Amino acid sequence: MNRKTLVLPAVVGLLAPVLAACGGPDAGGDAIVVGTTDQFVASKDNPAPLDPAIGYEAGVWNVLRQTVQTLTHIPRGGGEPVPEAAETCQFTDTRNESYRCTLREGLTFADGTPLTTEDVKYSLQRVIDIKDESGPVGLLDNIDTIETKGEDEIVFHLSNPDATFPYKLATPAAGIVQKDKYPAKAPRDGFEVDGSGPYTMKAEVKDDQVVKVVFTRNPTYKGDLKVLNDKVELDLFPDAEAMGKALDDKKIDMMTRTMSPEQSQKMLMEPQEGVKLTEMPGLAISYLAFNTEDPAVENKAVRQAMAQVIDRGEIAGEVYGSTAEPLYSLIPSGITGHTNSFFNTYGEPSTSAAAKTLQEAGVSTPVAFTLHYTTDHYGPATAAEFKALAKQLNASGLFEVKAEGTPWAKYRPAQRKGEYAVYGMGWFPDFPDPDTYTAPFLDKNNFLNSPYRSAAAQETLIPESRSAADRSTASPIFEKLQDIVAKDVPVLPVWQGKQYVASLDGLTGVEWAVTSSADLQLWELGKST
C-alpha cells in the first residue's frame, strides 16, 4: 500500500487553533507563571546558551522571542511573515535575491538606545562571522552582502534565490542586538539578554543553571505585537511530574514543554476541575541520526535494515499513546510536500527483508552499537522510547544494541563531536515550511554536524526549492529530497507529536500562546476579569 494516500496534507498556514475564550490585558498586575522542563545551563562547552548567534534550541528561542526583536514575524494564526521591527519588507526582484526592509520610526532598545539599520546589519553579520558549529548560522549563510541606506532602510543581497528568507528573518537567529553588549566576533557569555522586544528579562541562576526567567513588559517596545500582560514568569522544573504538581498546587498558571504522555492521557480521560487541557497541532518530530563515518553504521545497508526492523506504530502507540503518531518522512504531515517516503521504500516492518538487505551488502550480524539518547531535553518518555527501540532491534537477531542516556549539557557536545554512532534527536521547526525539515539536515552547515553529503540535495534540489515563490509548486522537489533520505538513511524519522497545554481556568490566550511550531508567545496571555 502506498502511504502517500493515507494522509491528506494540510496547507501551511491553516494550522491555527480555533479561538476560544477572549481575554484582555492582565488587570491585576500579578505575574502570570508558566512552567517548562526546558533547561538552560552554562558550561565549558556552551558558556553562552542565550546568545542568538549560539542558541539553536526550541527552549532558548522561546526566551529570545520575548526579548529580541526581529524584522518580521509570523502573524497570529500562521501564514506568511509580516513586518515586526520593520514597517515594510519585500523582495525587490523577480528572482527572490534582493530583500528590502524599512524600519519603524522611533525604534529603541529597552535601555533607550536608538535602534538603526546598522544595528540590524551588525546583529546578522555577527551570527555569520561567529559561525558557531551548533548555532543557527545555516539560516543566514545565504546572505551575500547587507547594505544599509540611512537609518531606516536595509537591503539583503542573497547569494542564491530564497523565497523562505522572510521566514528566516522572523527567527531569533535574526534577532537585533546592541553592539555595546554583544561582541562582534565572539559570543556573549552568561544568561543576560538585551533587545528591543516586547519584554525585558532577568534570569535567576543557581549553580550555572537558570531556575526562573522573569519577563517584564518593555515600555519602549514599538512593533507589531499586542502585549496583553505586564509580567510573565517562566519557571523551570526538573521534570514533568514536578511541573504537574506545581499546577495542582496552583503555583503556576500553565504548563507547556514538556508534559508527559501520561499527564496528557490522564487529563483527556479524567478532566480536572479548574484545569483546561488544550490540544494544538504539533509539528515536532523525533528521529534517529547517524554518524555515517562510524564503522558500526557507515554501510548504509545497516541503516536501511534498521528502517526495515523498527515498528514506528508500536513505539508511538505503546510509549506515547494518543500524543504521537508514526512518522515515515523528515517532513511531517500537516506540511505541504509531505510524503511517506520510508513506508513507500520499505513497507511494513520486516526482519526477513532487513536480513536480506544486510546479507546482500556482506554485513556480518549481529551489528553491535549503542543507542544514545538525552535524559532531560525532550520529555520523560524518551527513556522508555529508547528501551523499546533497543528491544525491537535486538528481537530481530540482526542487532546487538544497548540504550544509554546522557544529560543534554553533555549529550549535545558529544553528539556534535561525532562521539555517537547512533543517537536520538528531536526537531522543532524554525518556521512552517518544508525547507526547515530538509535543509538543516542536508545542506551545508547542517544542524547535526553530520559528515553525510548529498550532492543532488545541496547543489540542485535545495536551491531549486528555494526559488519557488509559490511554496506549493516546490512539492515535487521536496518529494525527491524525502526519497533521498529514505534511500541513504542519514536520519531515520520515528514519530510526530501532538501538543498539549494545561492551564488554570481564568488564563486567556492559551490557544495563541503556543504555536504549531512550539513557539511560545507569552504576550498573548492574560487573565479574565
Side-chain angles (χ1 to χ4, degrees), residues 297-377:
V297 295
E298 64 179 343
N299 190 326
K300 70 179 179 182
V302 174
R303 309 191 299 269
Q304 291 170 337
M306 290 177 64
Q308 290 171 299
V309 167
I310 290 174
D311 187 336
R312 297 166 175 79
E314 182 178 276
I315 297 295
E318 293 190 2
V319 178
Y320 294 96
S322 64
T323 66
E325 58 186 28
L327 179 64
Y328 297 90
S329 170
L330 267 179
I331 300 176
S333 62
I335 292 289
T336 301
H338 162 81
T339 67
N340 289 294
S341 53
F342 272 82
F343 191 91
N344 298 334
T345 302
Y346 302 109
E348 297 285 359
S350 171
T351 297
S352 61
K356 182 179 179 182
T357 297
L358 294 170
Q359 183 180 18
E360 290 179 348
V363 177
S364 300
T365 57
V367 181
F369 55 82
T370 299
L371 276 176
H372 292 274
Y373 66 92
T374 177
T375 56
D376 58 354
H377 195 67

Side-chain angles (χ1 to χ4, degrees), residues 379-419:
T382 307
E385 175 187 348
F386 277 77
K387 182 179 178 181
L389 284 168
K391 182 179 178 181
Q392 286 184 1
L393 292 168
N394 290 334
S396 72
L398 302 174
F399 299 94
E400 188 176 301
V401 175
K402 64 176 181 178
E404 183 177 300
T406 304
W408 181 255
K410 295 181 179 179
Y411 182 86
R412 176 64 167 139
Q415 173 272 311
R416 196 171 61 229
K417 294 173 184 174
E419 295 179 10

